């Protein structure tokens, strides 16, 4: 067997080729689930999987699974991510987690390397939740957290998931068998600034933050900005402003893995010369620790109530989304460290503030995540960028880690089944 | 001569009748300059003026002037306001200043009272500035502050003022002669809560606040709300929030006649899970004292810079509007006090935080303003309301004041010409 070489140029070309499908004139990605661009991108990766000697199947929710047989019929190692994008998104989010493993197999094929266990690459449907409102849709169905029939009946008002998948020819049968899977490993862009700013090659994810979304509405009175004395106002905007600064203080004090954001604000009536009568905020609070997250949300609610009371405003707090934090497999974290060390790459353990399919998979299978740098921390924008060098480095670490997991004859075979049984509980 | 009696029912009916012209199904007023509703409302008040024995002329910018002759050819007393509305406005703003004087003349006619000086009621064009972007348009032209030709060439992109006035048949000739006017008196709804909350019948306006409008833009970086640690953010929304609270403190400390408002806020990209990268604010700062106003604006700019610097943001400050404060005639204020006392009405001296045609007229003629209560301080909304009682009380005070100014034979004739000469300077 020859040395295994991850081909930087081939990997970069594939990312660019897929990034041309659904690209707008402004260089942004528009590859929403079920769109012609989504169909074309699916067809492209399927043909690449088949050219790499993989056996491709599609399940009932449109998840694509490409399987490379192993020399044994051992429990398969799984990897993968998604190729759908947010509107006006970038070329790397999700795509890296599909094409980096593909490059691993291409490199193995070049070197004549055959894995002991089978390796499966999964392309999950509707990870972004852009079209049907439920993110991580494909992995929710794969892990049984969302019944298949419920998923297929989701509608965007125009079409159901079932109709949409049928129209692009990605309505397969059955669901992905996770009972037999040994492990799941997802490589993804960080979507944050830590690796880029610290000049680190890869991040080894210890936990995925719990995510909560809230709609917070402050109601006061819309008054004439010229004729209403300062002490006779019920200014909803100022209540919202006070709450937002309080939330920042709460998140900062809670710890380095705690974040609180007012990302969205809609002011009514929104005229320069009118005291705002109503402000609706979209609030995002995350933490990798469930108890700390609950405390932050409780403190934020109290801060909103106090900001409202001080100004004679009404406040309504509606929680729209609550996802628990997820710890990833310590065993796989260790193996990723060894893989990084074996390739000479620099690494750091870190947390994921964003949700990923790996979050669902971790409930069913020992799961790990590997981050590669996002330039400037940017994501979900056409400016999203991971350099060819960083992509190559990250894929080298991925290759070493997967080779370890599939049971390189030169290393001890991966036996994670015991850990999986614990994780399922 | 009989006693002069302001007819509460007749006045209220006229306000309601005019308020039915351009009223939407939801009870809001849509009477934008040049609209069919504006034309119909103009025709209606013109017929009412003529029925009351007045001679109606229209000037080149569409200002309507109705003249009641005096028993002498003395300098005329002028009053008036406007009948155009903001979109989804109310039935009282402007209209009261046209129909209350009409009721005065109807009451005089009933009683057989003839004024010594002529009395002129003016209906100014495009006071709200809704359609052509320049508020107080008619009075700006009347006082020569805006050249007639410039006014006529203003366009909303669809039509010029000239074309619009021609299409509704209100393109007259010449401009209103202010050289010969003795005084101007405008009655208007307060558009603030002070009279309503204090249970006062009328407000005697001492000064109209200077008005400044600013566009303040905070620019930071749009980042992922989950993956960007609190201490690595450049959150434009929080910079704007800090500035807004600082502006409130600056205005509150400046004095009881100082106001500062962030009325408008546009956040980009405005997604719950994205740290805001850009916030554009519409800021309104007013004061009745020019020096204090300038200090407030200076302090607000400094606060914006500091809020931006603290968070590593960029800030741009663009001043869009700057109108100096206007002091109204002390002589007319005294006469309004006497008029209120003569009718048994309660009154308080106050300031106008809103701009009015009287603001322009004060540069050319000794000018006064009388406020009637706005229920709950509401204005520029269908909920705008002044009760029949309050309207009646205010019109009684107006009647007494105008009768004084036009030279009731039972009182000393008004001789304000000397004061006018000073005011012109």
């Amino acid at each position: 067997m020859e040395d295994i070489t991850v081909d930087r140029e081939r990997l970069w070309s594939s990312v660019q080729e897929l990034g041309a499908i659904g690209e707008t004139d402004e260089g942004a990605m528009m590859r929403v689930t079920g769109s012609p661009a989504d169909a074309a991108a699916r067809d492209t990766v399927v043909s690449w999987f088949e050219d790499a000697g993989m056996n491709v199947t599609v399940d009932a929710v449109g998840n694509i699974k490409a399987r490379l047989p192993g020399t044994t019929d051992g429990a398969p190692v799984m990897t993968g991510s998604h190729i759908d994008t947010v509107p006006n998104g970038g070329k790397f989010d999700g795509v890296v987690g599909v094409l980096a493993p593909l490059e691993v197999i291409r490199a193995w094929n070049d070197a004549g390397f055959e894995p002991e266990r089978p390796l499966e690459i999964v392309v999950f449907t509707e990870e972004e939740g852009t079209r049907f409102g439920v993110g991580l849709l494909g992995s929710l169905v794969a892990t049984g957290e969302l019944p298949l029939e419920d998923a297929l009946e989701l509608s965007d008002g125009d079409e159901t998931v079932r109709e949409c998948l049928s129209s692009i020819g990605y309505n397969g049968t059955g669901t992905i068998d996770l009972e037999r899977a040994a492990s799941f490993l997802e490589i993804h862009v960080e979507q944050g600034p830590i690796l880029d700013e610290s000049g680190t090659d890869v991040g080894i994810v210890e936990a995925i933050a719990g995510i909560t979304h809230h709609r917070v509405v402050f109601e006061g009175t819309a008054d004439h900005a010229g004729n209403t004395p300062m002490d006779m106002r019920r200014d909803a905007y100022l209540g919202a402003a006070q709450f937002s600064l309080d939330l920042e203080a709460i998140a900062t004090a809670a710890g380095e893995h705690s974040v609180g954001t007012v990302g969205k604000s809609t002011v009514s009536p929104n005229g320069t010369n009118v005291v705002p009568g109503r402000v609706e905020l979209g609030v995002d609070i995350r933490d990798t620790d469930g108890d700390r997250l609950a405390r932050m949300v409780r403190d934020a609610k109290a801060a909103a109530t106090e900001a409202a009371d001080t100004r004679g405003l009404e406040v309504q707090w509606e929680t729209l989304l609550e996802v628990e934090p997820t710890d990833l497999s310590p065993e796989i974290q260790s193996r990723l460290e060894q893989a990084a060390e074996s390739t000479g790459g620099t690494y750091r353990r870190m947390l994921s503030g964003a949700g990923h399919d790996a979050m669902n998979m971790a409930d069913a299978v020992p799961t790990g995540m590997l981050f590669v740098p996002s330039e400037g921390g940017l994501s979900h924008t056409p400016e999203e960028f991971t350099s060819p060098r960083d992509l190559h480095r990250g894929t080298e670490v991925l290759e070493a880690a997967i080779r370890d997991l599939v049971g390189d004859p030169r290393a001890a075979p991966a036996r994670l089944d015991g850990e999986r049984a614990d994780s399922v509980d």
Side-chain angles (χ1 to χ4, degrees), chain A:
Chain A
M1 195 189 85
E2 298 175 34
D3 279 351
I4 296 167
T5 306
V6 171
D7 187 328
R8 175 169 154 171
E9 290 310 314
R10 181 171 55 193
L11 173 59
W12 187 252
S13 301
S14 296
V15 170
Q16 294 308 307
E17 197 173 330
L18 200 61
I21 302 174
E23 188 181 17
T24 69
D25 291 344
E26 291 77 35
M29 297 310 304
M30 296 289 273
R31 214 158 54 208
V32 174
T33 302
S35 64
D38 180 37
R42 284 167 174 264
D43 293 348
T44 298
V45 296
V46 165
S47 71
W48 288 344
F49 289 144
E50 290 176 342
D51 290 347
M54 303 180 83
N55 176 39
V56 177
T57 54
V58 177
D59 79 359
V61 75
N63 293 324
I64 298 167
K65 188 179 80 176
R67 180 182 172 99
L68 183 75
T71 56
T72 70
D73 190 31
V77 169
M78 298 180 72
T79 181
S81 192
H82 64 97
I83 58 173
D84 65 315
T85 72
V86 296
N88 293 307
K91 292 186 169 60
F92 299 87
D93 178 358
V95 163
V96 167
V98 172
L99 298 187
L102 172 65
E103 173 53 32
V104 168
I105 287 170
R106 286 170 170 172
W108 286 355
N109 289 342
D110 291 348
F113 172 78
E114 293 184 356
E116 186 175 315
R117 296 165 183 269
L119 174 61
E120 295 178 348
I121 304 178
V122 181
V123 184
F124 290 108
T125 295
E126 181 77 340
E127 193 269 353
E128 297 290 3
T130 295
R131 177 150 179 210
F132 295 100
V134 177
L136 311 180
L137 187 70
S139 57
L140 280 173
V141 172
T143 55
E145 289 174 61
L146 180 67
L148 172 63
E149 280 305 311
D150 293 359
L152 293 176
E153 288 307 313
L154 286 173
S155 171
D156 67 349
D158 188 36
E159 227 179 14
T160 62
V161 169
R162 188 195 306 276
E163 290 161 348
C164 148
L165 292 173
S166 170
S167 74
I168 60 169
Y170 279 85
N171 52 335
T173 53
T175 54
I176 292 174
D177 178 15
L178 298 181
E179 285 299 310
R180 290 213 64 221
S183 54
F184 180 79
L185 178 57
E186 181 171 4
I187 182 170
H188 202 279
V189 292
E190 180 195 344
Q191 302 180 277
I194 295 172
L195 295 176
D196 184 38
E197 295 212 1
S198 63
T200 309
D201 292 331
V202 295
I204 294 167
V205 180
E206 295 178 319
I208 300 175
I211 305 174
T212 66
H213 282 178
H214 316 271
R215 174 161 48 224
V216 185
V217 178
F218 290 88
E219 293 220 53
T221 308
D223 282 313
H224 194 293
N227 285 329
T228 314
M230 299 305 288
D231 61 359
M232 294 177 83
R233 298 176 174 211
R234 294 173 65 230
D235 185 328
Y237 181 80
L238 292 178
Q242 184 59 61
F243 162 71
S244 305
L245 292 168
D246 290 346
L247 176 62
E248 181 193 34
I250 289 166
T252 302
E256 59 171 326
H257 305 312
S258 312
V259 288
T261 309
V262 174
K264 201 169 174 180
S265 162
T266 309
V267 175
S268 307
N270 210 35
T272 297
N273 63 348
V274 188
V275 177
R278 185 177 192 278
V279 175
E280 180 175 327
L281 301 180
V283 177
D284 180 305
I285 304 177
R286 305 188 191 204
D287 203 296
T288 46
D289 179 88
D291 291 341
R292 207 165 49 209
L293 178 57
R295 276 199 303 277
M296 284 174 69
V297 170
R298 189 196 61 207
D299 291 350
K301 275 187 193 175
T305 302
E306 195 187 329
D309 287 352
T310 308
R311 297 174 181 279
L313 308 172
E314 304 295 320
V315 65
Q316 297 152 35
W317 184 291
E318 187 186 355
T319 296
L320 305 176
L321 175 73
E322 257 180 318
V323 178
E324 293 288 313
T326 304
D327 290 326
L328 298 185
S329 160
E331 166 71 16
I332 296 186
Q333 290 169 46
S334 305
R335 287 168 181 261
L336 286 169
E337 278 193 358
Q338 290 162 25
E341 281 164 8
S342 74
T343 64
T346 55
Y347 66 90
R348 61 188 291 166
R349 288 180 172 256
M350 59 190 302
L351 302 163
S352 173
H356 295 287
D357 289 312
M359 193 164 75
N360 291 329
M361 296 298 277
D363 291 336
V365 179
T367 292
M369 276 202 88
L370 194 63
F371 276 168
V372 290
S374 295
E375 201 171 277
L378 299 176
S379 181
H380 284 189
T381 149
E383 283 83 49
E384 181 180 278
F385 188 75
T386 300
S387 73
R389 178 203 169 281
D390 286 340
L391 204 52
H392 181 241
R393 282 292 182 114
T395 306
E396 285 186 326
V397 177
L398 179 76
E399 190 279 325
I402 293 183
R403 181 152 39 82
D404 174 27
L405 290 169
V406 295
D408 180 357
R410 291 171 296 191
R415 287 288 168 215
L416 296 167
D417 307 66
E419 190 186 357
R420 177 182 58 162
D422 290 336
S423 295
V424 173
D425 298 336

